[in-house]
Amino acid sequence: MEFRLEDIDPDEIERRLAVVEPLTDSVRGLIDAVIRSEVDDAVLDRARARIDEITAELRVHQKPGGYGTPFTRDLRGMPWGNAATGLRNPIAPPLRPEHGAGVSTGSVHLGAAYEGPGGLVHGGVLALLMDQLVGECASTIVNMPHFTGTLTVRYLRPTKLGRVDLRAEVTGTQDRKTFVHVEVRDREGVTADGEAIMIRPKDFPGRDEVLAAIARTP
Amino acid sequence: MEFRLEDIDPDEIERRLAVVEPLTDSVRGLIDAVIRSEVDDAVLDRARARIDEITAELRVHQKPGGYGTPFTRDLRGMPWGNAATGLRNPIAPPLRPEHGAGVSTGSVHLGAAYEGPGGLVHGGVLALLMDQLVGECASTIVNMPHFTGTLTVRYLRPTKLGRVDLRAEVTGTQDRKTFVHVEVRDREGVTADGEAIMIRPKDFPGRDEVLAAIARTP
């Protein structure tokens, strides 16, 4: 993991989100429309050409790789490119987790883009959301990033497209391991659950080392 | 799962893909550009407005729900909306699995849209791809859809963004269960593996019943 400083204040964060969140939501709408559209091929072809024009304009200045996780000087992280929660990643539903001590919850609306079997959520999409939530949940106990060691997902029955609620809870800790249980519900109840063993990297820098690294950023 | 008849021949399938695959690839490019772009806010705002216009045109005629899995009369499935493999789903990388008897493989390029920690693939994205591949792999032994019962993913080390190769192999069967092992590799070797218990639904219609259902389609 790399650390990148974005030396901005809360007002500037809000100002940037006010631009990129609506743009990202628009692309989510476009994704849904491309899957479900039944318009003529000529309209689809014209859409493609116009999308390529927009993409070319956005690429005039761009980051060389992924978005990464920039931090402010007071260590507020902005993982806006994250595939599950990224406010700037149209692939993310996005999941917006809320946290208590040892408990994390989140709700998403999963439409056509998250389909597996007809009318049902792709089981792997649930695994993606579960993986994200158990990681964040482990961090509510020890405020450091955790990597997933093992994630076991048990699918109890199909999950209908639509609103899905997730809840993760820490069930124990042992040295650098944190154990987390997670459940997924659709409108009719629990559809899947999971058990995760989350691991805190041994050589992960502490807060002071991160601050020192950020201070060295030109 | 619902069955939907698309009474088209192979030429028509190719003709449709020739329109929707380039469109879907264009949206994949747009997703990447939205995450990585560093252009001025005014350009981002203008992009949003133009994307909304395109979306509105595509929505003039659209399917009511997800894309589902239409079948031709000779039972060729077209799961183009699938979140992992869908040729018409911009969220899918897409994974394009190849199959032998009891073995399935696939390679994808995972860019900024699939990021978790900075520079690394989101572990949950790997779980999504693994879940898809183990399901298809089970079907190479018994040619019927399988649902994932349990998927256990073991993350051995971080996976770098870029090319990722997957390989699934059936390790055994027992009644309606099929056991599948799956591995993920980045440029430097194996990064994750998994074990899946795939289940063939007891009341899943056989080929004859599916054909009868399709024949009843108006």
Side-chain angles (χ1 to χ4, degrees):
Chain A
M1 265 184 87
E2 300 142 26
F3 295 97
R4 175 159 61 87
L5 173 66
E6 285 270 358
D7 195 9
I8 57 179
D9 64 19
D11 285 351
E12 174 64 13
I13 291 175
E14 292 312 309
R15 206 194 53 73
R16 290 191 189 179
L17 283 178
V19 177
V20 298
E21 279 199 273
L23 169 61
T24 310
D25 277 339
S26 287
V27 180
R28 291 187 184 113
L30 177 65
I31 291 168
D32 181 82
V34 163
I35 296 169
R36 297 169 55 200
S37 183
E38 298 192 304
V39 300
D40 293 344
D41 289 352
V43 181
L44 297 176
D45 274 336
R46 207 164 55 233
R48 178 184 50 72
R50 290 158 71 197
I51 291 165
D52 287 345
E53 282 173 23
I54 297 167
T55 301
E57 288 178 24
L58 296 179
R59 288 204 192 284
V60 168
H61 299 293
Q62 67 178 9
K63 292 187 171 52
Y67 192 79
T69 302
F71 286 87
T72 61
R73 282 200 189 278
D74 54 0
L75 290 192
R76 175 168 168 183
M78 291 167 283
W80 297 347
N82 184 286
T85 60
L87 301 180
R88 191 169 177 158
N89 186 341
I91 280 183
L95 184 66
R96 299 170 185 268
E98 297 187 7
H99 307 292
V103 177
S104 299
T105 57
S107 298
V108 281
H109 178 87
L110 299 176
Y114 303 98
E115 194 176 49
L120 305 175
V121 179
H122 196 299
V125 168
L126 297 179
L128 164 60
L129 299 175
M130 291 164 106
D131 180 60
Q132 178 67 33
L133 199 66
V134 294
E136 297 201 18
C137 188
S139 300
T140 66
I141 298 285
V142 179
N143 185 19
M144 283 175 66
H146 289 71
F147 284 87
T148 310
T150 307
L151 174 65
T152 300
V153 180
R154 200 163 53 118
Y155 297 95
L156 306 172
R157 63 171 178 79
T159 304
K160 298 217 171 103
L161 287 181
R163 179 178 163 150
V164 167
D165 299 302
L166 294 101
R167 184 179 193 281
E169 183 163 6
V170 172
T171 56
T173 62
Q174 186 192 328
D175 303 328
R176 290 183 295 111
K177 291 182 184 165
T178 301
F179 304 94
V180 187
H181 176 76
V182 58
E183 280 184 358
V184 175
R185 289 168 182 270
D186 67 5
R187 287 157 285 174
E188 291 158 22
V190 177
T191 64
D193 61 23
E195 304 294 336
I197 304 173
M198 307 304 300
I199 297 172
R200 217 161 54 231
K202 197 165 23 181
D203 54 357
F204 201 86
R207 181 186 162 85
D208 292 345
E209 287 152 288
V210 173
L211 282 171
I214 283 177
R216 285 194 302 273
T217 306
Chain B
M1 265 184 89
E2 300 142 28
F3 295 96
R4 175 158 62 87
L5 173 67
E6 284 272 355
D7 196 10
I8 56 179
D9 64 18
D11 285 351
E12 175 64 12
I13 291 175
E14 291 312 310
R15 206 194 55 72
R16 290 192 188 179
L17 283 178
V19 177
V20 299
E21 279 199 270
L23 170 60
T24 309
D25 276 340
S26 287
V27 180
R28 291 186 184 113
L30 177 64
I31 291 168
D32 182 82
V34 162
I35 296 169
R36 297 169 56 200
S37 183
E38 299 192 302
V39 299
D40 293 345
D41 289 351
V43 181
L44 297 176
D45 274 336
R46 207 164 54 233
R48 177 184 49 72
R50 289 158 71 197
I51 290 165
D52 287 346
E53 281 173 23
I54 298 168
T55 301
E57 287 178 24
L58 296 179
R59 288 205 192 282
V60 168
H61 299 293
Q62 65 177 11
K63 292 186 170 55
Y67 192 79
T69 301
F71 287 86
T72 61
R73 283 201 188 276
D74 54 0
L75 290 192
R76 175 169 169 183
M78 292 166 283
W80 297 348
N82 184 286
T85 60
L87 301 180
R88 191 170 177 157
N89 185 340
I91 281 185
L95 184 67
R96 297 169 187 270
E98 298 187 6
H99 306 292
V103 177
S104 299
T105 57
S107 297
V108 281
H109 178 87
L110 299 176
Y114 303 97
E115 194 176 50
L120 304 175
V121 178
H122 196 299
V125 168
L126 297 179
L128 163 62
L129 299 174
M130 291 163 105
D131 180 60
Q132 178 69 31
L133 199 65
V134 294
E136 297 201 19
C137 189
S139 299
T140 66
I141 298 287
V142 179
N143 186 19
M144 283 176 66
H146 289 69
F147 283 87
T148 310
T150 307
L151 174 65
T152 300
V153 180
R154 201 163 51 118
Y155 297 96
L156 306 171
R157 63 170 177 80
T159 304
K160 297 217 171 101
L161 287 181
R163 179 177 163 151
V164 167
D165 299 302
L166 293 100
R167 184 179 193 280
E169 184 164 3
V170 171
T171 57
T173 60
Q174 185 193 327
D175 304 324
R176 291 183 295 112
K177 291 182 183 167
T178 301
F179 305 92
V180 187
H181 175 76
V182 57
E183 280 184 357
V184 175
R185 290 169 180 268
D186 67 5
R187 286 156 288 174
E188 290 158 21
V190 177
T191 65
D193 61 23
E195 304 295 336
I197 304 173
M198 307 305 300
I199 297 171
R200 219 162 52 233
K202 198 168 15 183
D203 54 356
F204 201 85
R207 180 187 164 85
D208 291 344
E209 287 151 288
V210 173
L211 282 171
I214 282 177
R216 283 194 302 273
T217 304

